[in-house]
Amino acid sequence: MERTLRAGRLATFAYFTLNGFLMGMWIVHIPAVEDRAGISHAVLGWLLLLLGAGAFVGMQIVGPLTDRLGARVVVPVSAALCSAAVVLPGLATNVWALGAALLALGLGNGCLDVGMNAHAVHVERGYRRPVMSAFHAAFSIGGVLAALVGARTLSWGWSPPATLGAVALLGLVAAALCAPALLRGEPAARTEGAVAEGGAAEAVVPEAVAAETGAGGPEASGTTAASPRRTPRRIWALAALALMLMLCEGVANDWSVLHLRDVLDAPAATAALAYGAFATAMTIGRLLADRVAARLGPVAILRHGATVAAVGLTVAALSPWVPAALLGWTVFGAGLSGCIPQLFSAAGHTDKDAAGANVSRVAGLGYLGMLAGPAVIGPLTHFMPLNLTFLLPVAFCVAAACAAGILREPGRPAAEAGKAPHRPEPVTQAP
């Protein structure tokens, strides 16, 4: 069982890395795709909304499908769909073709996003300790690899169809090769040599969800087995936090470079370091967050992480010096790094029978928040300087820190909120 669980974890790393690589390769080729399709920046901005719309739809479709069919079926199919779709923008020669291509790519990305996060929850439940943040770090690493590979192929003069076509083939092969290692259904909890009498043990992890969450089964939620499952209020609260925090992440993605260039008059090369510092801090923070979460618990990760992020962005926004602003963006990334994985993990663990649907709710609203970053900040710049608009995401970080108690396991005393989450010891029974 331990070998199977380890293989499932490695496969999950591979799918997260693949997702980051595929989307990174699309981002690297945006200028070339724009020129090939003969469209303006303004038109591209509208078309990117189709990418977001496709992702949102894919997330809502795949969540329930993952619960019904299992991540072992959904994840490889979603990865294949996303891989095949990545070549489509490179083939587009007009606005209509590019719009359809981005809709398909968004759909594939949304499907893979929810499927692999739902499988990550299964792996985490098997390990009985936090492992979610490292998976999200793998996504960031995939984006870095895409930047390196894309820069090299562009320097060689490869066309978008050739490069993205090769990436699509690579993605299809990776999706197929990693599929057998995915876990079958709900993994048994990891044991420390506990074997039932008469042979291999079957580990059973009891439900730990209180009735007030609406996720404890038919009796707890007040529904019958035949009635549709109602999304618990806790899930919508987690989704609202994801929307706020991913909007903050979107602000860094879209406005950090412009902040240094336009507000602090930094050279273009120096301004580019703002996003680089933020992304590097995010990746390193996610690689370390699981260990911190295991020791202090998810409530502490969200509360202290969001607080640190608020401080970092405040420094970046108000500092008149470029070095201090770069430090602020770095601290902002470090603070945010562990927050979103905790929300996804909590959504998946709320109800193991609806993990995919719950993750899709949180991921869907979170994705809308990331897209809303430029839409919210842009209009505000008509009324105030760009750096002062960053006080809105600062307020969101403060709100998330204040609401961190939502991550506390249902029924757990508030006095234990700062401790690592309780994972019940597996109960073994003979087959």
Side-chain angles (χ1 to χ4, degrees), residues 65-277:
L65 281 180
T66 302
D67 296 327
R68 186 176 305 167
L69 304 177
R72 186 181 173 89
V73 174
V74 170
V75 172
V77 174
S78 298
L81 175 60
C82 190
S83 298
V86 79
V87 71
L88 298 180
L91 298 174
T93 57
N94 58 66
V95 63
W96 302 107
L98 183 57
L102 291 180
L103 188 64
L105 179 59
L107 183 69
N109 178 51
C111 292
L112 179 55
D113 194 326
V114 168
M116 67 188 186
N117 272 288
H119 187 265
V121 170
H122 293 335
V123 173
E124 187 173 60
R125 188 175 287 116
Y127 270 88
R128 295 193 292 115
R129 60 181 173 83
V131 295
M132 179 67 78
S133 293
F135 294 137
H136 285 250
F139 178 89
S140 300
I141 292 172
V144 172
L145 292 175
L148 297 175
V149 172
R152 175 56 62 187
T153 57
L154 287 171
S155 70
W156 289 340
W158 288 20
S159 66
T163 304
L164 296 178
V167 169
L169 290 175
L170 176 65
L172 290 171
V173 171
L177 291 179
C178 296
L182 294 174
L183 300 178
R184 294 182 180 275
E186 180 68 18
R190 191 176 183 179
T191 65
E192 300 295 338
V195 179
E197 182 180 356
E202 179 185 358
V204 179
V205 180
E207 290 293 332
V209 182
E212 59 266 23
T213 66
E219 293 79 17
S221 61
T223 62
T224 64
S227 63
R229 185 184 298 270
R230 177 179 297 179
T231 302
R233 289 189 298 272
R234 182 176 188 244
I235 296 300
W236 292 119
L238 294 171
L241 289 176
L243 186 148
M244 290 190 293
L245 291 175
M246 291 185 73
L247 184 146
C248 296
E249 185 176 341
V251 167
N253 294 341
D254 296 311
W255 298 103
S256 57
V257 175
L258 288 174
H259 166 238
L260 259 70
R261 191 190 70 183
D262 295 346
V263 177
L264 301 181
D265 295 323
T270 302
L273 295 177
Y275 175 71

Side-chain angles (χ1 to χ4, degrees), residues 370-383:
M370 182 172 290
L371 292 176
V376 171
I377 298 298
L380 287 178
T381 59
H382 294 295
F383 306 100

Side-chain angles (χ1 to χ4, degrees), residues 312-370:
L313 187 53
T314 301
V315 170
L318 301 182
S319 174
W321 302 292
V322 170
L326 288 173
L327 176 62
W329 285 112
T330 303
V331 173
F332 183 49
L336 276 184
S337 61
C339 296
I340 292 298
Q342 306 310 313
L343 299 178
F344 281 26
S345 178
H349 288 298
T350 295
D351 182 356
K352 72 176 184 179
D353 295 325
N358 290 338
V359 169
S360 72
R361 303 290 187 269
V362 175
L365 280 186
Y367 198 82
L368 289 181
M370 182 172 290

Side-chain angles (χ1 to χ4, degrees), residues 13-27:
F13 275 122
Y15 282 111
F16 270 83
T17 305
L18 175 62
N19 190 203
F21 182 73
L22 292 174
M23 298 311 296
M25 289 301 292
W26 146 245
I27 292 172

